[in-house]
Every structure is written in structure tokens, then in C-alpha cells.
């Protein structure tokens, strides 16, 4: 995408109306705005949304913050709901009852995607419905009190993995859902976040929406409250996630891995960890092993990705 094209993206109509109740600095809001801006002017869309922070803050029946048709799904069935709508659309179009072109995009947090909604997401992707599933990954069940999910990073302090004398935060590593989606053999999978001028997320959103067939986007969407950092530091947090390779940016097109960004000077993981209160305990005397273990995990995941990208 050239500079002219990117400027045109940013001048497009907002499809998520202002006045919603999401927190200041919410990563989910920024994810939704940028994904929906990838829709071409005049194109119609049906937007789905699993229960979660995004849903409760943008939808209070009968009002919605979305300019497009909107469906609220339960935690566990956003993938099934949109795949059903997409199927009904094609049936009605075949009968001549609908003539307009529609795109189908559904959003879910990590709780409704990595965990509770995984079975319906997997089914929709395996069946190959022409839809995009977007996970705004804030790495915990933020809407109900910051409980751990399978997306929560190793050693993170949450309300269900509280740091104490015995438990050092979440004892398990973060699930790699992006790779699991690749294993479904779908045409387009990508991982992105908010760095620079949002060019990466808008370009990947465009590809996901306009690639025929099923597509999946995993977007790191920081939560100031759950991650415990000042809301104005969000761009700094996402930049550190990318520069430390905690959250690599890449896409997989028809099974081919393509690295979107490679840091010139890969930063140590502690630069990312120390910016967030959920990892404060890792910097206390005697807990150095947690930082070392996290660094080993990040390095291993990064090397595995480079091999997949044939770099």
C-alpha cells in the first residue's frame, strides 16, 4: 500500500460510531476501527461480536455503535453465528432475493476465541466460509475481572493466577492460536498490532476481507487496566512487544509464511515486561529465573518462526 492509499484509508468513514463505553486507550476499539476501515467505501458488511468487553460496551439493545448490520453472539458461538449468516446470504442470493454484495466480519476477545469459542471458530474455518474472524487479544478475561485465559502470558499476574509465595503467576505458556489457525489450511492468516501509523493492521485487514474464503486475524490489543500501564503508553507497549519479538508480525498466505517485520536490534524481553504491572513480581530479587525462562521461550518461538519463513 502506497502513502496515498494509506491516507485514503484513514479518511474513510468511521464504521464504529463514537460515544461507546469502552475504556480510554482500549486496544479493542482501535482494532475494530482499523479493521472496518479496510472495507471499501460503499461495501456492505455484517458484523458479528462474541460477548465480551467489546460487546457490552458497544451494544445495549436496541442500540449499537456499529454503522453496519450487527449481531451479538454468545461467548461460545460467534464463529457459528457468522458462518450461518454467510450461508443464508449465499442461499438467498442464489434465489435472487438479495443482489447486494456483503462481507462478513466477526470479532471476539481471547476468552471468546482461544477458549470458549474455539470449537465454533475452528468449525467455521474448517468449513471454509467466506468470512473473517478477528481476535482482539488482550490476554485475559478482562470483562469479568481479569481472569487468566489460555492467551495469558507465562507468569502474568491475574485474579485467578495471583502471585504469592507458591504460585508465580500463570504457570503455563501462552497458546499459539495463530499457528493453530494456519493448521486449518485456510487461505489467509495474519498476526498484527498497532505500531507506527497502523499501516500493517489496515493492509492485513484488507487482505483478510477481500481474500475469498475463510480468514483469521490475531490482533494484540493491550488493556491498560488488565496489563497495568498508563493508557497513553499503549503504542509504546505494542512497539516493545514487536521489538522484543514477544508478538511477531507475520502473515500466512495459502500456507506460505511471510515475516512482516524483523527488528534491526532485537530488544531483551525485560524491556517489554517491566513496562507492565502484571509482571512486576518478575523483577523482585530471587525471581530472575522467570525473566530468563520467558526470554528462552520468546527466542525459541522467534527462531521457529524464522525457519517457517525460510529466513
Amino acid at each position: 500500500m502506497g502513502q496515498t492509499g494509506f491516507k485514503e484509508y484513514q479518511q474513510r468513514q468511521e464504521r464504529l460510531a463514537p460515544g461507546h463505553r469502552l475504556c480510554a486507550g482500549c486496544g479493542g476499539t482501535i482494532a475494530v476501527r482499523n479493521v472496518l476501515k479496510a472495507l471499501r467505501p460503499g461495501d456492505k458488511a455484517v458484523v458479528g461480536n462474541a460477548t465480551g468487553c467489546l460487546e457490552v460496551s458497544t451494544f445495549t439493545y436496541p442500540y449499537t455503535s456499529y454503522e453496519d448490520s450487527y449481531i451479538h453472539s454468545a461467548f461460545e458461538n460467534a464463529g457459528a453465528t457468522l458462518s450461518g449468516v454467510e450461508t443464508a446470504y449465499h442461499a438467498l442470493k442464489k434465489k435472487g432475493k438479495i443482489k447486494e454484495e456483503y462481507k462478513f466480519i466477526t470479532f471476539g476477545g481471547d476468552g471468546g476465541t482461544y477458549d470458549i469459542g474455539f470449537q465454533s471458530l475452528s468449525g467455521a474455518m474448517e468449513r471454509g466460509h467466506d468470512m473473517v474472524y478477528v481476535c482482539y487479544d488482550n490476554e485475559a478475561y478482562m470483562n469479568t475481572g481479569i481472569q487468566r485465559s489460555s492467551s495469558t502470558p507465562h507468569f502474568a499476574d491475574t485474579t485467578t493466577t495471583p502471585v504469592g509465595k507458591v504460585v508465580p503467576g500463570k504457570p503455563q505458556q501462552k497458546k499459539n492460536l495463530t499457528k493453530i489457525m494456519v493448521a486449518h489450511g485456510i487461505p489467509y492468516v495474519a498476526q498484527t498490532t498497532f505500531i507506527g501509523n497502523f499501516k500493517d493492521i489496515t493492509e492485513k485487514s484488507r487482505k483478510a476481507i477481500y481474500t475469498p474464503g475463510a480468514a483469521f486475524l490475531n490482533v494484540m490489543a493491550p488493556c491498560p487496566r488488565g496489563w497495568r500501564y498508563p493508557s497513553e503508553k499503549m503504542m509504546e507497549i505494542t512497539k516493545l512487544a514487536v521489538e522484543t519479538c514477544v508478538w511477531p508480525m507475520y502473515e500466512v498466505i495459502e500456507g506460505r509464511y511471510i515475516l512482516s517485520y524483523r527488528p534491526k536490534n532485537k530488544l531483551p524481553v525485560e524491556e517489554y515486561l517491566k513496562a507492565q504491572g502484571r509482571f512486576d513480581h518478575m523483577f523482585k530479587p530471587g525471581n530472575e529465573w522467570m525473566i530468563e525462562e520467558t526470554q528462552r521461550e520468546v527466542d525459541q518461538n522467534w527462531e521457529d518462526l524464522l525457519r517457517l519463513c525460510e529466513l
Side-chain angles (χ1 to χ4, degrees):
M1 187 200 316
Q3 190 62 29
T4 303
F6 178 72
K7 287 181 179 178
E8 188 272 326
Y9 261 62
Q10 296 308 311
Q11 292 169 356
R12 288 180 181 179
Q13 172 195 357
E14 292 284 356
R15 293 183 183 241
L16 180 68
H20 52 70
R21 298 172 297 160
L22 286 155
C23 299
C26 171
T29 319
I30 298 171
V32 172
R33 289 178 61 198
N34 280 277
V35 170
L36 295 181
K37 274 192 174 184
L39 285 159
R40 295 168 186 149
D43 280 4
K44 297 178 181 292
V46 176
V47 176
N49 190 188
T51 298
C53 287
L54 181 64
E55 176 270 317
V56 300
S57 299
T58 60
F59 172 69
T60 304
Y61 184 81
Y63 304 105
T64 169
S65 298
Y66 294 89
E67 300 292 348
D68 295 283
S69 299
Y70 175 83
I71 302 176
H72 164 220
S73 299
F75 241 134
E76 67 273 13
N77 66 342
T81 299
L82 257 287
S83 65
V85 173
E86 184 260 1
T87 301
Y89 162 75
H90 286 295
L92 290 170
K93 196 172 183 185
K94 188 176 181 180
K95 293 178 180 179
K97 295 185 177 182
I98 294 179
K99 297 190 183 301
E100 299 93 340
E101 295 292 327
Y102 277 84
K103 296 297 181 182
F104 302 89
I105 307 168
T106 191
F107 297 94
D110 53 285
T113 306
Y114 282 68
D115 297 342
I116 302 174
F118 179 75
Q119 48 82 24
S120 68
L121 164 62
S122 179
M125 297 294 102
E126 183 271 333
R127 291 189 299 271
H129 293 277
D130 191 4
M131 59 177 281
V132 183
Y133 191 107
V134 182
C135 176
Y136 62 98
D137 188 355
N138 55 34
E139 299 188 327
Y141 288 85
M142 300 304 181
N143 180 46
T144 52
I146 317 174
Q147 297 93 346
R148 60 86 80 195
S149 75
S150 62
S151 171
T152 304
H154 204 174
F155 303 120
D157 181 25
T158 74
T159 54
T160 49
T161 57
V163 173
K165 294 181 179 179
V166 177
V167 178
K170 186 192 172 195
Q172 300 87 11
Q173 292 188 41
K174 177 185 176 86
K175 181 193 290 183
N176 195 325
L177 183 62
T178 307
K179 282 188 177 180
I180 294 173
M181 289 297 104
V182 174
H184 286 70
I186 59 180
Y188 189 79
V189 177
Q191 191 162 285
T192 187
T193 187
F194 323 126
I195 64 168
N197 57 7
F198 303 108
K199 185 176 179 180
D200 192 78
I201 185 173
T202 50
E203 176 65 10
K204 286 174 177 172
S205 298
R206 181 189 65 79
K207 290 179 182 178
I209 293 169
Y210 292 102
T211 294
F216 177 80
L217 281 178
N218 206 358
V219 185
M220 173 181 267
C223 171
R225 186 168 179 270
W227 294 18
R228 287 181 253 156
Y229 68 87
S231 59
E232 67 271 16
K233 297 287 187 181
M234 186 193 69
M235 296 299 284
E236 180 181 320
I237 294 291
T238 54
K239 181 175 175 59
L240 286 170
V242 174
E243 296 293 341
T244 57
C245 299
V246 166
W247 187 260
M249 298 205 302
Y250 65 97
E251 58 188 349
V252 185
I253 303 174
E254 298 291 351
R256 179 172 172 251
Y257 279 77
I258 303 168
L259 193 66
S260 307
Y261 178 78
R262 187 171 189 171
K264 291 181 180 178
N265 298 296
K266 182 169 171 282
L267 297 177
V269 71
E270 62 189 85
E271 295 298 314
Y272 172 72
L273 300 173
K274 69 183 181 182
Q276 304 166 61
R278 59 179 176 162
F279 299 118
D280 279 352
H281 58 288
M282 297 173 71
F283 293 88
K284 292 182 179 179
N287 287 346
E288 295 85 0
W289 65 274
M290 297 182 198
I291 299 175
E292 294 168 2
E293 178 66 24
T294 301
Q295 187 68 67
R296 281 194 294 272
E297 293 166 3
V298 169
D299 290 345
Q300 183 63 60
N301 290 336
W302 178 244
E303 291 302 320
D304 288 347
L305 178 59
L306 290 180
R307 280 193 291 272
L308 289 167
C309 295
E310 298 181 352
L311 296 173

